[in-house]
């Protein structure tokens, strides 16, 4: 008689692995912003009146202390509060040379094309690698743009196999594209105008206690390099008048995000306000750091261009007008 209930039990367990626990209704815009799925490692792209949010998808079964990530997710919003989910535009299987691990990524637009840079586990070269996919629309579908990795572990020297992760891309006012990435060492290289090839040697950036998750943005003539530091991770930042440095360390930008060992940020301007997008463990009730959820709070600048420390809130942001 007990065996008859086994299929039902297994089905219930599988369902729990796919989605967070049901939470009571809450105000749109409050943090975390998405409750239906676990979302991590946010990146955002502003296109006109719309923000596109790209995230990883934590899929580990409850209580399992490991990252299980096979696909990336995409959401869009016109007000930073109400988010529409689109079908998953990219799965790690699209990179036929990759083994698994849909880790942190970023999408950028150039000449009407959308390029998605993503960290994955390489199938034949031991270690993490960075691939690039391309689409005609910000919601995809995205296809492998090269048929091979852009960055592989044997292109950089490190004592660890996961140093080539967390890609972020920035195009300067002259049209030169830069790829930044790294774990324990922050690296960058110029990209050719086709966005799928390196245009010069790989360089390193010296900033204090760099862990991972670089993000580059510009504001009023200053370039900002923010990144995860320490473990559990906080977000620190440095400033420069040039993307090639020198970078001046300015301190902590965001404290440890609750119930999450990692901290990963995206910074954008939209409709006259600046936003700090990150993840915490606010939806997960199991105590694990491997089921994360994206949050959004405001980012503020001081008169001298330095950044005010982010105030993480449960209320989130107001609708952008």
């Amino acid at each position: 008689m007990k065996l008859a209930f086994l299929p039902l039990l297994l089905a219930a367990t599988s369902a729990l692995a796919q989605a967070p626990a049901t939470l009571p209704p809450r105000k749109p815009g409050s943090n975390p912003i998405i409750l239906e799925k676990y979302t991590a490692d946010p990146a955002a792209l502003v296109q006109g009146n719309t923000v596109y949010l790209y995230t990883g998808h934590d899929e580990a079964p409850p209580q399992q202390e490991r990252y299980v990530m096979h696909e990336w997710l995409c959401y869009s919003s016109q007000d930073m509060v109400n988010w529409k989910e689109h079908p998953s535009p990219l799965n790690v299987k699209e990179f036929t040379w990759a083994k698994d691990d849909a880790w942190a990524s970023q999408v950028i637009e150039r000449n009407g094309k959308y390029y998605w840079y993503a960290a994955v586990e390489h199938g034949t070269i031991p270690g993490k690698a960075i691939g690039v996919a391309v689409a005609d629309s910000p919601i995809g579908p995205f296809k492998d743009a090269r048929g091979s990795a852009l960055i592989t572990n044997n292109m950089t020297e490190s004592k660890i196999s996961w140093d080539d992760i967390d890609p972020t891309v920035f195009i300067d006012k002259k049209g030169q594209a830069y790829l930044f990435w790294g774990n324990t060492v922050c690296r960058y290289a110029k990209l050719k105008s086709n966005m799928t090839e390196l245009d010069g040697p790989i360089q390193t950036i010296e900033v204090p206690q760099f862990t991972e998750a670089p993000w580059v943005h510009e504001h009023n003539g200053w370039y900002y390099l923010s990144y995860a530091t320490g473990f559990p991770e906080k977000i620190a930042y440095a400033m420069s008048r040039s993307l090639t440095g020198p970078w001046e360390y300015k301190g902590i930008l965001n404290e440890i995000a609750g119930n999450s060992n990692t901290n990963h940020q995206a910074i954008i301007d939209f409709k006259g306000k600046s936003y700090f997008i990150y993840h915490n463990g606010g939806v997960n009730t199991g105590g694990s750091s491997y089921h994360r959820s994206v949050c959004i709070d405001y980012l503020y600048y001081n008169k001298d261009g330095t950044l005010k420390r982010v105030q993480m809130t449960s209320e989130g942001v107001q609708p952008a007008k």
Side-chain angles (χ1 to χ4, degrees):
M1 190 69 177
K2 292 182 179 179
L3 292 177
F5 290 97
L6 184 57
L8 294 175
L9 178 61
L10 292 175
T13 302
S14 176
L16 285 172
Q18 300 302 316
T22 301
L23 296 180
R26 50 88 196 229
K27 179 182 73 68
S30 55
N31 286 323
I33 63 170
I34 296 164
L35 303 182
E36 296 76 22
K37 295 179 180 178
Y38 290 116
T39 54
D41 301 331
L45 173 68
V46 177
Q47 289 287 274
N49 198 43
T50 303
V51 174
Y52 294 93
L53 174 67
Y54 304 92
T55 80
H57 184 195
D58 284 335
E59 300 180 82
Q63 306 302 324
Q64 287 202 12
E65 298 291 306
R66 63 191 181 104
Y67 294 114
V68 178
M69 308 176 78
H70 308 299
E71 65 179 1
W72 292 272
L73 304 176
C74 177
Y75 301 83
S76 65
S77 176
Q78 282 77 48
D79 63 3
M80 299 298 291
V81 167
N82 297 286
W83 292 91
K84 175 184 177 181
E85 182 179 4
H86 301 276
S88 171
L90 183 63
N91 189 293
V92 73
K93 292 179 181 178
E94 176 60 31
F95 299 115
T96 57
W97 46 268
K99 184 185 298 183
D100 204 357
D101 295 347
W103 282 19
S105 66
Q106 186 185 347
V107 176
I108 193 168
E109 183 272 338
R110 183 160 198 170
N111 297 330
K113 296 283 188 179
Y114 296 85
Y115 296 90
W116 195 322
Y117 299 82
V120 296
E121 181 76 14
H122 203 285
T124 57
I125 301 173
K128 289 292 185 286
I130 295 173
V132 55
V134 65
D136 295 322
S137 165
I139 61 174
F142 284 78
K143 301 296 182 182
D144 188 351
R146 289 173 46 94
S148 62
L150 176 63
I151 301 291
T152 54
N153 189 51
N154 58 0
M155 294 170 63
T156 56
E157 294 184 7
S158 176
K159 296 180 180 179
I160 59 176
S161 63
W162 58 92
D163 58 309
D164 297 302
I165 63 171
D166 294 358
T168 183
V169 180
F170 188 89
I171 302 174
D172 69 14
K173 294 178 180 178
K174 296 180 180 179
Q176 178 61 60
Y178 293 80
L179 173 70
F180 297 78
W181 75 97
N183 180 291
T184 65
V185 176
C186 185
R187 297 186 169 92
Y188 76 94
K190 291 182 179 180
L191 291 171
K192 293 183 179 180
S193 59
N194 62 15
M195 302 298 284
T196 62
E197 297 177 89
L198 299 186
D199 190 15
I202 295 173
Q203 311 276 4
T204 60
I205 297 175
E206 298 294 333
V207 286
Q209 298 181 325
F210 177 87
T211 300
E212 59 186 0
W215 180 274
V216 174
H217 77 281
E218 185 270 341
H219 183 83
N220 286 346
W222 283 104
Y223 293 104
Y224 298 81
L225 170 63
S226 51
Y227 59 92
T229 184
F231 197 83
E233 294 174 349
K234 301 178 181 181
I235 298 297
Y237 80 102
M239 296 172 60
S240 176
R241 289 294 190 182
S242 169
L243 280 171
T244 59
W247 294 92
E248 183 178 352
Y249 178 75
K250 292 297 182 179
I252 298 299
L253 179 57
N254 189 45
E255 292 286 354
I256 296 170
N259 204 24
S260 175
N261 285 328
T262 61
N263 204 333
H264 196 113
Q265 78 295 354
I267 295 173
I268 61 170
D269 291 332
F270 183 63
K271 295 185 176 180
K273 293 187 181 296
S274 298
Y275 296 90
F276 185 86
I277 309 172
Y278 60 104
H279 65 231
N280 67 12
V283 174
N284 169 43
T285 59
S288 164
S289 180
Y290 299 86
H291 299 85
R292 298 160 293 178
S293 298
V294 169
C295 301
I296 303 175
D297 280 299
Y298 291 113
L299 178 72
Y300 297 103
Y301 295 82
N302 295 307
K303 291 182 178 180
D304 63 356
T306 57
L307 298 173
K308 294 185 178 181
R309 192 168 296 201
V310 172
Q311 297 296 314
M312 293 180 286
T313 69
S314 56
E315 293 84 2
V317 298
Q318 297 296 313
K321 299 179 181 180

